[in-house]
Amino acid sequence: MNLADAVSAIRSGPRGSHIPAVFDVAGTVVAGFTPAPAPVRLLRRGDGAALTELLRTGINPGDDETFLRRAEPLLAGRTEEELTTLGEDLFRRTVHAHLYPEAWQLIREHEAAGHTLILVTALTRFQVEPIAAELGIDYALCTPMATSGGVLTGYPAGEPLRGKVKAAALHDFAAARGIDLASGYTYATAESDLPTLESAGKPTAVNPAPDLARTADERGWPTLTFRPRKPPKPIDIARTAVGFAGLLTGAALGTASRATTRDRETMAGAMMTTAADTTLRSTGIRVRITGEEYARAPRPAVFLFNHQSQFDMVVLAEVLRGGFTGIVKQEVRTNPIFGPLLRFAGATFIDRSDTASAKAAMAPVVETLRGGLSIVIAPEGTRSMSPRIGPFKKGAFHIAIEAGVPIIPVVIRNAGEIAWRNSPIVRKGTVDVAVLAPIDVREWDRDDMNTEIEQVRELFTATLRDWPTG
């Protein structure tokens, strides 16, 4: 079965919260990866570096036993708060880059069908809860760790969630909430998860190991293959270097081509457009646009985009073709590449940690819009670690209402695969962009627009889930 078949089956299947969608973690939602082992001396000391490597060990399918065996000396004496913080930091630095985009898409389909989303794994909550939070999964069944006097003993509190124990925990969870496992979906990778797969009416083997693949074939279960994200190759590094050179060359050529006008806005528009063109040509990246007419008119407007990658800057310049500037976080001002370009383009830099100064910095943006220059804003406030659309902040909507201009959603797909979050490396591929119809916000109530903002956010979610073909 391919992913499109799986999506179609979900869309045509039963709906409602009584239907579960159960996912194992290692190899199913997160690609297996093997970190460099911590030095023995660190393991003996219980050093934080060794603890980090320990938490990463269980990311590999079948490594939960290794994890639990190594856990005792390193987890003993640690507080839950310490491990929670470590797990969240590890997810932001490493694990998020190994989430399967295909798993994300399946999860969003189950969410749209109103299904109850569940992660079930032998790993600990310190490893799993950040994954569940990013994927929008409310329930995570994990191996609990015993505590004494507010610190961990290093031992599991009961049997680890493996094999029949995992399936039993899932049955108990479902029974307590009136969930119908017999009508539900399960996704798992290892043969040890056979009892969990058998517990649901619609089992699917994801990236199955050979023994599970044979079992799935014998029982007529569908299988899915997800592609792991691979580390950059030398060609990717070379492509990135050429791309940055193309960006700088294009920016200089574009600015010079309009220098005789002595008009900063005209020069900035040419700078951004030419820089985008040369960067895309030199990297071999294609931008495929739907709804391009809305990128041209009406202008000025507040263009909202979902932010996943540093490469979004190039994509937006290619789509909008000048006549805009941006609102970006203060930290970008010091970026050696984008900082000078954005300053020349008249971008507004805001300090997200200081609400008062951020609001003050936004005030001139209204005059920018009234002067005819459009604005691009990421309403989530920061780059997301998956294609999931996070909560929207209200600033962009207040600006549009004050300036009397429309909101125009710009939905970007695949930019996070071209350049991973926090990664400078660019990979070859296609970025899809859907520019949606303008939204008139002039009659919105500034004091009560939560419902309207959520409807705009849902437009992004729905577009990513069901991409337009026109």
Side-chain angles (χ1 to χ4, degrees), residues 388-440:
R388 184 173 70 93
I389 304 297
F392 280 6
K393 301 181 184 298
K394 296 181 179 180
F397 301 91
H398 282 295
I399 289 170
I401 293 170
E402 182 69 23
V405 301
I407 291 285
I408 300 180
V410 180
V411 187
I412 303 175
R413 182 175 71 169
N414 296 342
E417 300 306 307
I418 295 296
W420 299 352
R421 187 184 192 273
N422 297 333
S423 171
I425 304 300
V426 176
R427 293 163 172 79
K428 188 175 181 179
T430 298
V431 177
D432 289 316
V433 179
V435 187
L436 307 186
I439 300 170
D440 189 346

Side-chain angles (χ1 to χ4, degrees), residues 344-425:
F344 185 76
T348 297
F349 297 89
I350 61 170
D351 182 358
R352 295 177 299 177
S353 64
D354 186 343
T355 303
S357 67
K359 287 183 177 179
M362 295 283 237
V365 176
V366 173
E367 296 306 315
T368 298
L369 285 161
R370 289 173 175 168
L373 197 62
S374 294
I375 297 292
V376 295
I377 306 177
E380 296 165 282
T382 188
R383 291 193 298 269
S384 60
M385 289 181 281
S386 75
R388 184 173 70 93
I389 304 297
F392 280 6
K393 301 181 184 298
K394 296 181 179 180
F397 301 91
H398 282 295
I399 289 170
I401 293 170
E402 182 69 23
V405 301
I407 291 285
I408 300 180
V410 180
V411 187
I412 303 175
R413 182 175 71 169
N414 296 342
E417 300 306 307
I418 295 296
W420 299 352
R421 187 184 192 273
N422 297 333
S423 171
I425 304 300

Side-chain angles (χ1 to χ4, degrees), residues 26-84:
T28 303
V29 169
V30 180
F33 65 100
T34 304
V40 173
R41 62 180 179 82
L42 294 182
L43 293 175
R44 291 199 192 102
R45 275 179 15 206
D47 193 283
L51 192 58
T52 297
E53 296 299 340
L54 174 65
L55 289 180
R56 291 175 61 175
T57 300
I59 298 301
N60 254 331
D63 273 359
D64 38 24
E65 286 188 58
T66 303
F67 168 77
L68 294 171
R69 189 169 57 250
R70 294 176 62 195
E72 181 186 348
L74 289 178
L75 297 184
R78 305 277 181 172
T79 66
E80 291 189 288
E81 290 77 13
E82 179 184 1
L83 289 170
T84 296

Side-chain angles (χ1 to χ4, degrees), residues 199-213:
S199 66
K202 300 178 179 66
T204 299
V206 177
N207 298 329
D211 48 2
L212 181 58

Side-chain angles (χ1 to χ4, degrees), residues 42-197:
L42 294 182
L43 293 175
R44 291 199 192 102
R45 275 179 15 206
D47 193 283
L51 192 58
T52 297
E53 296 299 340
L54 174 65
L55 289 180
R56 291 175 61 175
T57 300
I59 298 301
N60 254 331
D63 273 359
D64 38 24
E65 286 188 58
T66 303
F67 168 77
L68 294 171
R69 189 169 57 250
R70 294 176 62 195
E72 181 186 348
L74 289 178
L75 297 184
R78 305 277 181 172
T79 66
E80 291 189 288
E81 290 77 13
E82 179 184 1
L83 289 170
T84 296
T85 299
L86 182 59
E88 291 171 349
D89 180 63
L90 180 62
F91 178 79
R92 287 191 297 269
R93 290 190 292 108
T94 303
V95 177
H96 79 271
H98 296 270
L99 294 174
Y100 283 117
E102 299 94 336
W104 175 86
Q105 188 172 344
L106 277 182
I107 289 166
R108 296 286 72 82
E109 290 297 336
H110 284 295
E111 180 183 51
H115 298 162
T116 296
L117 302 173
I118 307 167
L119 290 180
V120 57
T121 174
L123 303 178
T124 70
R125 72 173 184 84
F126 312 115
Q127 297 156 298
V128 175
E129 286 182 352
I131 297 171
E134 180 60 33
L135 294 174
I137 296 176
D138 291 329
Y139 302 105
L141 308 184
C142 313
T143 296
M145 302 303 291
T147 60
S148 176
V151 298
L152 275 72
T153 66
Y155 294 99
E159 292 189 74
L161 264 62
R162 284 182 53 82
K164 293 181 179 180
V165 176
K166 180 189 286 189
L170 179 60
H171 275 281
D172 291 344
F173 177 88
R177 288 164 178 77
I179 292 173
D180 181 14
L181 280 177
S183 299
Y185 302 76
T186 55
Y187 302 90
T189 297
E191 178 76 7
S192 60
D193 286 315
L194 194 55
T196 302
L197 287 165

Side-chain angles (χ1 to χ4, degrees), residues 250-260 266-268 270-272 274 341 344:
L253 291 174
T255 304
S257 71
R258 295 293 185 271
T260 56
T266 300
M267 288 189 288
M271 175 192 75
M272 289 186 287
T274 308
L341 300 181
F344 185 76

